[in-house]
């Protein structure tokens, strides 16, 4: 079956760095998405990786290894507003999105 | 974990026809379901929020007469795109919130339905 795993919850300190991992097993691969979702709001697009490697976008970076079925989202210089759920989603060979359950990130002062 | 399904996964239709998309929560009761449009490499745009047994709440700019939403049961919501036009072509995603009293912030997302209007 298709599966995406990411930690349920993580805690980090303001100003620090945190890495949220996502591993996947899907039938085919047409890209991996990371979204940020604040409570009560729609998910906000953060990144899309389809090739191996690291993509950096400001304080956020996303890494993909297709051979390992693995991605991570790296958040630097954490701010309190980064407290949110982070969703990993993979588009499979049928262009369907397979969603992880989300990682709730708690930032402490 | 909780599973949300959508049917159909993809649909191609002629301009002017209506298309119905179903969203089902498979192993939990969803008191609230959300409908989104996804544009390539962009955020999900919330279209409407539906609560079981009541009228949907539409976001500003979304035509309620064009995008009909029905949430007839605790496990099923439908989105009907009426008189579809090519600009309605998009990836439609639903999500469901578990109403069992647990984490009320968690939404479970469906796999999406790709609509192409010719």
């Amino acid at each position: 079956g298709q599966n995406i795993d990411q930690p349920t919850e993580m805690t980090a300190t303001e100003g620090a760095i945190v890495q949220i991992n996502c591993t996947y097993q899907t039938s085919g691969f047409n890209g991996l998405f990371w979204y940020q979702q604040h409570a009560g709001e729609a998910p906000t697009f953060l990144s899309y990786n389809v090739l191996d490697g690291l993509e950096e976008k400001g304080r956020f970076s996303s890494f993909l290894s297709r051979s390992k079925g693995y991605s991570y989202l790296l958040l630097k210089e954490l701010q309190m507003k980064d407290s949110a759920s982070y969703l990993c989603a993979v588009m499979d060979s049928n262009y369907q999105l397979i969603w992880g359950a989300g990682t709730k990130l708690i930032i402490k002062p | 974990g909780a599973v949300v399904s959508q049917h159909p996964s993809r649909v191609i239709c002629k301009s002017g026809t209506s298309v119905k998309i179903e969203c089902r929560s498979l192993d939990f009761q969803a008191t609230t379901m959300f409908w989104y449009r996804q544009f390539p490499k962009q955020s999900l745009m919330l279209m409407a929020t539906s609560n079981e047994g009541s009228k949907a709440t539409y976001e500003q700019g979304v035509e309620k007469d064009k995008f009909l939403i029905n949430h007839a049961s605790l496990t099923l919501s439908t989105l009907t795109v009426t008189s579809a036009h090519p600009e309605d072509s998009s990836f439609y995603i639903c999500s469901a919130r578990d109403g069992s009293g647990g984490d009320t912030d968690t939404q479970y997302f469906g796999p999406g339905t790709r609509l192409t209007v010719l």
Side-chain angles (χ1 to χ4, degrees):
Chain A
Q2 309 207 86
N3 190 51
I4 297 198
D5 285 315
Q6 52 181 128
T8 304
E9 188 174 293
M10 298 181 73
T11 302
T13 306
E14 190 177 15
I17 299 174
V18 72
Q19 177 174 310
I20 303 175
N21 295 325
C22 171
T23 57
Y24 63 89
Q25 292 174 305
T26 57
S27 55
F29 180 83
N30 277 300
L32 185 145
F33 295 82
W34 282 99
Y35 288 91
Q36 178 193 61
Q37 187 178 30
H38 286 100
E41 298 181 13
T44 303
F45 171 80
L46 293 178
S47 66
Y48 171 72
N49 293 67
V50 66
L51 299 176
D52 289 351
L54 184 69
E55 297 230 355
E56 298 184 74
K57 198 185 293 184
R59 293 190 298 116
F60 293 5
S61 302
S62 57
F63 171 83
L64 174 68
S65 169
R66 288 171 295 170
S67 62
K68 294 182 180 177
Y70 168 68
S71 172
Y72 66 73
L73 181 69
L74 190 72
L75 292 77
K76 302 177 186 175
E77 301 168 20
L78 286 170
Q79 301 174 10
M80 297 302 293
K81 66 178 183 179
D82 297 330
S83 292
S85 284
Y86 291 85
L87 301 164
C88 172
V90 172
M91 188 159 276
D92 68 10
S93 57
N94 292 318
Y95 295 94
Q96 295 272 273
L97 280 175
I98 313 301
W99 294 86
T103 298
K104 187 174 182 178
L105 178 63
I106 300 168
I107 309 296
K108 295 186 175 178
Chain B
V3 177
V4 173
S5 71
Q6 284 183 238
H7 178 81
S9 57
R10 66 180 70 182
V11 57
I12 301 172
C13 69
K14 292 182 180 179
S15 185
T17 60
S18 294
V19 174
K20 180 186 282 188
I21 303 170
E22 294 185 349
C23 176
R24 292 181 185 274
S25 57
L26 298 185
D27 50 5
F28 66 99
Q29 293 186 327
T31 51
T32 305
M33 287 186 168
F34 305 86
W35 286 96
Y36 298 90
R37 278 182 79 163
Q38 186 201 42
F39 296 95
K41 299 185 185 179
Q42 293 187 33
S43 304
L44 301 187
M45 184 195 82
L46 180 64
M47 298 174 65
T49 302
S50 74
N51 293 294
E52 186 265 336
S54 62
K55 290 184 178 179
T57 303
Y58 289 80
E59 296 299 302
Q60 193 171 11
V62 179
E63 299 175 58
K64 60 180 68 176
D65 293 331
K66 181 168 184 61
F67 298 99
L68 301 177
I69 291 172
N70 184 285
H71 193 161
S73 77
L74 285 171
T75 59
L76 174 65
S77 175
T78 60
L79 167 68
T80 301
V81 183
T82 62
S83 187
H85 290 284
E87 59 265 29
D88 299 323
S89 298
S90 190
F91 197 53
Y92 292 87
I93 299 171
C94 75
S95 72
R97 180 184 287 161
D98 189 339
S100 64
D103 183 354
T104 56
D105 287 338
T106 301
Q107 291 180 32
Y108 301 97
F109 289 85
T113 296
R114 189 167 299 281
L115 171 64
T116 303
V117 184
L118 303 177

